[in-house]
């Protein structure tokens, strides 16, 4: 019984997290469009503009891109070449999947670790980008995104592990 | 020796379906490790995404394209082109080419054109008396027609990468937009002539031009007709920078489709926004990590060495361009267009410049070849999408696409060997 109740709970947590993530992504995009359009109006009508807006918009591009990449990792929907994949025997697919996903997860873990070092250095430097916002805050999305992608690919490979054992009679 | 083993492993992993960003990231890591550079440099390189102002155009045009693809723009576009052009000989085929080219320019060649427009045009072509195989080949080919017209995303991405390379000559997005016009038009014209020739003994329906239908189609599409003028006129009239044109387009499309046509409900909007940004995320991640690997490639002087090797065997520009065409055709069939641009341009561009190829011209050659890659058997993406969408065996699509492929190959040869076609509007 407890097992049955347990599962919907993790599912619920996951769907809440997905919603928050989606919300952030949509919010960032709306902010980006809003700021960019405001900037056009200010420049053309009043010959002025918000000084930090251009920098913020550029950082939003980075954030939108990386959060988008995080969402893409949910189902492993990253751009890849799938020529050989099509011709693999059915039994080999989960095994190949595990190799591919573990490799991706590992690479992202390394990237997350070294990006974190970079952000730490920036934190110690204490530089600001615009309107008192420290640079390290804007950069922190890089290690965060790599870490999330790594976790998701670890989870995908775990799913494949379970599938292999489920296939065994 | 170990380098070759690593390279082999990575290539195998890539072919087995490893996300390309992870493969490129691994290359960059290995490279920097050998150069004794701290791997933290990867974060610095990824952060360069935020140092590239024009990159803003990418998410905004993508979003606009997704909105257009989700609304009934495809219906209005087909109706309007049909009302205006159906009286011409070969009318409906030409209608199909033009409508698809427009639609692809705005939505990207992600298969949306085949799904949205092909589904309207294929039955219409059959009904008008075109043969099944011809019609099938036509809609499959049209799925990537229009890549060379602004504001297509591959043009933007190529310009951004070329700018990052600092190759001397300036490669502005607005230059590429202009450069793609005539080559794109050449493709449409050649394909139109071919469909006239192909159907010369085939009595196809030719309805008369109806002023009333044209008027009503115009009225229906009145909010969307300004879009191309918006983009081109805004940029070349000096009103907008490219990224501003993208912002204006995104906002305009959002307002028109959601509040005026009311074809996208507010509750559906977040999902469309998310999906469009997932695509952008995939591209930007690859772009970010390839900034790192490119930096390593340049540090290790790979393009210069490559040029030396090629130069030793190939002395003429013409032969180089032929080899380039062959390489790009193969790449186009196996790699998706965005990864192909991000991975190959940093390697090919410096070499091509050494052979005296203009960087803007190279961009047009690159994309024109990639466009054919979409319909190249056995793995061109459009073939699979059309096979799935129209429920036809893939072999039938191979046969249907080949004549169109040959026509496009002729276009690519002309584009490659007549640089003026691409460069005539630029002050060069």
């Amino acid at each position: 019984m407890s097992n049955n109740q347990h599962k919907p709970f993790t599912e619920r947590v996951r769907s809440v997290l997905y919603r928050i993530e989606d919300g952030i992504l949509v919010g960032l995009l709306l902010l980006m469009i809003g700021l960019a359009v405001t900037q056009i109006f200010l420049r053309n009508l009043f010959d002025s503009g918000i000084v930090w807006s251009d920098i913020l918009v550029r950082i939003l591009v980075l954030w939108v891109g990386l959060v988008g990449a995080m969402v893409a990792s949910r189902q492993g929907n990253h751009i890849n070449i799938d020529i050989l994949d099509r011709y693999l025997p059915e039994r080999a697919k989960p095994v190949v999947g595990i190799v591919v996903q573990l490799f991706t997860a590992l690479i992202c873990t390394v990237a997350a670790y070294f990006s974190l070092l970079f952000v730490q250095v920036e934190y110690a430097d204490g530089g600001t980008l615009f309107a008192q916002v420290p640079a390290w805050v804007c950069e922190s999305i890089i290690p965060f995104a790599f870490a999330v992608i790594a976790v998701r690919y670890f989870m995908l490979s775990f799913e494949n592990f379970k599938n292999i054992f489920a296939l065994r009679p | 020796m170990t380098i070759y083993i690593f390279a082999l492993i990575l290539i195998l992993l890539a072919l087995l379906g490893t996300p390309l960003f992870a493969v490129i990231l691994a290359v960059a890591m290995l490279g920097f490790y050998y150069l004794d550079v701290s791997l933290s440099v990867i974060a610095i390189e990824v952060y360069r995404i935020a140092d590239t102002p024009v990159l803003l155009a990418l998410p905004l045009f993508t979003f606009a394209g997704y909105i257009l693809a989700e609304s009934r723009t495809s219906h209005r576009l087909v109706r309007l082109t049909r009302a205006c052009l159906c009286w011409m000989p070969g009318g409906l085929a030409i209608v199909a080419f033009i409508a698809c080219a427009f639609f692809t320019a705005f939505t990207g060649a992600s298969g949306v054109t085949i799904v949205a427009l092909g589904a309207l045009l294929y039955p219409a072509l059959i009904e008008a008396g075109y043969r099944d195989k011809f019609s099938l080949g036509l809609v499959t080919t049209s799925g990537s027609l229009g890549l060379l017209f602004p504001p297509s995303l591959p043009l933007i991405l190529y310009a951004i990468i070329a700018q990052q390379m600092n190759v001397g000559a300036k490669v502005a997005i607005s230059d590429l937009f202009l450069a793609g016009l005539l080559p794109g038009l050449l493709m449409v014209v050649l394909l139109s002539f071919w469909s006239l020739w192909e159907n010369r003994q085939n009595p196809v329906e030719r309805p008369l031009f109806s002023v009333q239908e044209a008027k009503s189609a115009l009225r229906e599409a009145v909010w969307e007709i300004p879009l191309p003028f918006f983009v081109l006129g805004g940029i070349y009239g000096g009103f907008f920078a490219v990224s501003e044109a993208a912002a204006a387009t995104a906002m305009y499309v959002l307002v028109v489709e959601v509040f005026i046509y009311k074809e996208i409900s507010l509750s559906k909007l977040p999902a469309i926004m998310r999906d469009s940004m997932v695509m952008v995320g995939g591209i930007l991640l690859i772009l970010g990590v390839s900034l790192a690997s490119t930096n390593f490639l340049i540090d290790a002087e790979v393009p210069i060495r490559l040029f030396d090797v090629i130069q030793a065997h190939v002395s003429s520009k013409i032969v180089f361009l032929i080899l380039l065409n062959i390489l790009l055709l193969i790449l186009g069939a196996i790699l998706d267009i965005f990864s192909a641009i991000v991975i190959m341009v940093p390697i090919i561009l410096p070499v091509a410049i050494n052979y005296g190829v203009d960087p803007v011209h190279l961009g047009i050659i690159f994309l024109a070849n990639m466009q054919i890659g979409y319909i190249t058997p056995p793995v061109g993406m459009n073939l699979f999408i059309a096979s799935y969408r129209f429920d036809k065996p893939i072999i039938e699509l191979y046969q249907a696409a080949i004549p169109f492929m040959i026509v496009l190959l002729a276009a690519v040869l002309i584009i490659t060997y007549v640089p003026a076609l691409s460069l005539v509007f630029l002050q060069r």
Side-chain angles (χ1 to χ4, degrees):
Chain A
M1 241 351 242
S2 68
N3 199 20
N4 269 350
Q5 279 172 340
H6 183 66
K7 208 173 178 189
F9 178 70
T10 51
E11 286 296 314
R12 267 209 309 276
V13 171
R14 183 191 300 205
S15 86
V16 168
L17 284 179
Y18 278 6
R19 282 213 181 155
I20 294 173
E21 197 181 16
D22 287 355
I24 291 172
L25 185 55
V26 168
L28 289 172
L29 175 62
L30 284 173
L31 186 60
M32 186 162 86
I33 299 175
L35 276 175
V37 171
T38 313
Q39 214 44 5
I40 298 176
F41 275 112
L42 288 179
R43 190 174 67 82
N44 286 304
L45 295 183
F46 306 102
D47 221 357
S48 70
I50 311 166
V51 184
W52 43 263
S53 172
D54 285 339
I55 307 174
L56 178 57
V57 165
R58 266 153 46 194
I59 289 171
L60 282 173
V61 173
L62 175 77
W63 279 60
V64 159
L66 288 178
V67 176
M70 279 159 47
V71 176
S73 314
R74 285 177 192 170
Q75 316 291 336
N77 283 337
H78 275 282
I79 299 173
N80 62 356
I81 309 174
D82 54 354
I83 319 181
L84 285 190
D85 195 50
R86 240 176 243 138
Y87 304 105
L88 283 174
E90 214 47 51
R91 285 187 72 94
K93 277 184 183 172
V95 181
V96 169
I98 290 174
V99 172
V100 158
Q101 284 148 357
L102 279 182
F103 172 78
T104 308
L106 210 70
I107 291 286
C108 289
T109 311
V110 178
Y113 172 74
F114 282 99
S115 314
L116 191 64
L117 290 188
F118 165 69
V119 174
Q120 273 177 345
V121 171
E122 292 279 293
Y123 177 73
D125 277 358
T128 55
L129 267 185
F130 62 92
Q132 308 297 315
V133 176
W136 71 268
V137 173
C138 305
E139 292 152 356
S140 59
I141 188 72
I142 301 174
F144 184 76
F146 277 124
V148 170
I149 295 172
V151 169
R152 288 200 165 138
Y153 271 90
F154 273 125
M155 280 161 63
L156 285 171
S157 69
F158 184 64
E159 289 292 315
N160 261 328
F161 260 120
K162 282 202 301 197
N163 285 344
I164 290 181
F165 285 109
L167 282 177
R168 292 260 162 86
Chain B
M1 190 58 205
T2 38
I3 278 238
Y4 292 106
I5 296 174
F6 276 128
L8 237 116
I9 293 175
L10 285 179
I11 290 173
L12 185 68
L13 277 169
L15 290 179
L16 284 173
T18 306
L20 282 170
F21 85 85
V23 177
I24 302 170
L25 202 51
V27 170
M29 282 174 177
L30 275 174
F32 285 121
Y33 178 76
Y34 272 102
L35 291 177
D36 254 342
V37 178
S38 163
L39 292 189
S40 293
V41 76
I42 285 164
I44 301 175
E45 297 290 343
V46 173
Y47 192 66
R48 268 169 66 195
I49 289 178
D51 275 338
T52 316
V54 281
L55 215 46
L56 176 61
L58 199 73
L60 294 177
F61 275 132
T62 309
F63 170 62
Y66 265 73
I67 294 275
L68 288 176
E70 286 287 326
S71 53
R72 288 174 57 85
T73 308
S74 48
H75 289 254
R76 286 187 290 271
L77 180 61
V78 170
R79 185 178 170 201
L80 179 65
T81 345
R82 216 174 163 175
C84 296
L85 299 176
C86 65
W87 52 272
M88 290 183 4
L92 194 59
I94 297 175
V95 165
F97 289 130
I98 293 176
C100 288
F102 263 110
F103 201 67
T104 306
F106 274 91
T107 60
S110 50
V112 185
T113 308
I114 296 177
V115 175
L117 278 181
L120 297 174
L121 290 169
Y122 176 57
L125 284 162
I126 301 275
E127 200 183 314
Y130 290 91
R131 286 182 304 109
D132 185 53
K133 213 157 94 181
F134 172 84
S135 314
L136 210 53
L138 190 151
V139 287
T140 310
T141 313
S142 304
S144 52
L145 195 64
L147 273 186
L148 294 177
F149 291 127
S152 105
L153 297 179
L155 281 175
I156 296 175
L157 193 64
Y158 176 86
I160 290 169
I161 306 257
Q163 280 170 10
Q164 297 286 326
M165 299 282 304
N166 278 327
V167 284
K170 198 168 156 281
V171 188
I173 295 180
S174 49
D175 285 349
L176 271 145
F177 281 0
L178 281 180
L181 288 178
L182 286 186
L185 208 61
L186 175 75
M187 287 183 164
V188 173
V189 169
L190 284 186
L191 284 170
S192 301
F193 274 121
W194 185 78
S195 32
L196 277 179
W197 173 254
E198 166 72 15
N199 293 294
R200 64 195 178 282
Q201 280 155 357
N202 189 9
V204 289
E205 211 178 278
R206 249 172 79 187
L208 292 172
F209 179 76
S210 145
V211 180
Q212 199 161 18
E213 168 64 10
K215 263 190 190 162
S216 120
L218 258 175
R219 203 173 306 124
E220 194 188 37
V222 72
W223 291 102
E224 286 159 340
I225 295 170
L227 267 177
F229 302 100
F230 219 71
V231 175
L232 279 180
I235 295 172
Y236 299 103
F239 302 106
F240 291 142
V242 171
S243 55
E244 288 179 328
T249 306
M251 191 56 135
Y252 182 82
V253 167
L254 183 65
V255 170
V256 165
E257 306 300 340
V258 176
F259 297 107
I260 295 180
Y261 286 119
K262 296 197 173 80
E263 283 163 356
I264 293 175
S265 64
L266 277 174
S267 57
K268 259 177 70 189
L269 196 57
I272 298 173
M273 289 183 145
R274 184 196 62 201
D275 292 347
S276 65
M277 289 309 108
V278 165
M279 176 176 163
V280 169
I283 299 171
L284 280 186
L285 186 58
I286 289 192
L287 177 67
V289 297
S290 76
L291 289 174
S293 69
T294 303
N295 204 346
F296 155 69
L297 287 180
I298 293 172
D299 267 4
E301 301 188 323
V302 171
I304 298 172
R305 285 189 212 174
L306 188 67
F307 174 65
D308 287 341
V309 171
I310 301 174
Q311 179 92 70
H313 300 279
V314 180
S315 53
S316 88
K317 181 177 167 183
I318 301 282
V319 179
F320 168 74
L321 285 174
I322 292 174
L323 291 176
L324 182 68
N325 276 335
I326 295 171
L327 172 73
L328 291 176
L329 283 173
I330 297 171
L331 278 177
I334 54 178
L335 274 179
D336 104 290
I337 192 161
F338 297 110
S339 349
I341 294 174
V342 167
I343 297 170
M344 294 313 292
V345 170
I347 301 172
I348 292 177
L349 183 60
V351 178
I353 284 180
N354 273 317
Y355 274 100
V357 181
D358 189 290
V360 172
H361 183 213
L362 179 73
I364 302 301
I365 297 175
F366 200 103
L367 297 188
N369 278 292
M370 288 290 132
Q371 184 183 325
I372 298 183
Y374 274 94
I375 52 167
T376 308
V379 284
M381 189 180 83
N382 280 2
L383 299 167
F384 288 101
I385 295 173
S387 157
Y388 178 75
R389 183 64 188 80
F390 304 113
D391 202 15
K392 299 275 177 186
I394 191 85
I395 301 290
E396 203 170 307
L397 279 150
Y398 292 170
Q399 293 166 347
I402 281 173
F404 291 87
M405 209 179 121
I406 293 169
V407 175
L408 284 179
L409 269 176
V412 163
L413 287 180
I414 298 173
I415 291 167
T416 308
Y417 300 105
V418 186
L421 203 60
S422 310
L423 303 176
V424 66
F425 293 132
L426 310 178
Q427 269 93 38
R428 284 181 189 252

